[in-house]
Amino acid sequence: MPLYTVTTPKSLPNSRRVELANLIMNVHCGLTGAPETFVNVMFWENATLNDGVAMHVYGGIRKGRTAEMRETLQKEMARRICQLMILTDKELETDMFEMPAQWIMEGGEILPEPGEEHLCEWLQNGHGTEHNDPVKKAG
């Protein structure tokens, strides 16, 4: 968690998926302070999108952040994705959905509330410190 789903009408080259997944991870973690190991990015390719839309990014994030933080996260994510992928703001759709942390498991452990990661014993003891590859592919 978070789980970002990137939907496109055409397949993206692996190098672009890696760049985009890393950008999403960096923006999310940079703004929220969430550990990188929590971030997952899934690609749904060859999908039908609304007319004029080249990409849709749907972020499932932990509930508990301020409305201002969610708005900043969504706007900065959109701005940076448009910049990387050379899209206009009309060619990119973004949505965010929040769910309570206690509904989410990562590596067999219930996630802490946003901002309480430092209190999470299993996370502080190195759970999830192996290389985080945020790229996943649906197909």
Side-chain angles (χ1 to χ4, degrees):
M1 190 63 179
L3 174 59
Y4 285 91
T5 303
V6 177
T7 306
T8 56
K10 297 179 184 174
S11 183
L12 296 173
N14 189 56
S15 61
R16 294 302 275 169
R17 288 194 306 265
V18 170
E19 284 181 290
L20 184 54
N22 282 316
L23 178 137
I24 289 170
M25 179 179 67
N26 290 334
V27 170
H28 185 92
C29 295
L31 289 173
T32 67
E36 289 182 356
T37 190
F38 284 5
V39 180
N40 294 280
V41 179
M42 182 177 79
F43 290 86
W44 188 284
E45 300 174 331
N46 303 313
T48 303
L49 297 175
N50 292 328
D51 286 341
V53 175
M55 180 178 290
H56 183 270
V57 178
Y58 180 85
I61 62 173
R62 288 181 290 165
K63 189 174 184 175
R65 296 188 174 88
T66 65
E68 292 80 19
M69 171 54 76
R70 286 188 310 277
E71 183 178 340
T72 299
L73 179 60
Q74 188 166 358
K75 284 182 178 180
E76 183 64 7
M77 191 70 71
R79 185 185 75 76
R80 298 275 306 275
I81 290 170
C82 283
Q83 192 174 46
L84 176 71
M85 302 305 292
I86 311 172
L87 299 172
T88 67
D89 58 349
K90 300 211 182 319
E91 293 173 309
L92 175 69
E93 289 181 343
T94 61
D95 290 297
M96 298 270 175
F97 174 77
E98 294 182 302
M99 62 191 76
Q102 67 267 22
W103 290 6
I104 307 159
M105 216 175 219
E106 185 79 31
E109 303 286 351
I110 301 293
L111 292 189
E113 296 297 325
E116 294 182 2
E117 293 85 1
H118 67 285
L119 302 173
C120 184
E121 186 177 325
W122 61 264
L123 183 59
Q124 298 308 312
N125 289 333
H127 177 83
T129 56
E130 61 278 355
H131 175 70
N132 183 37
D133 180 3
V135 181
K136 310 234 181 319
K137 185 172 180 183

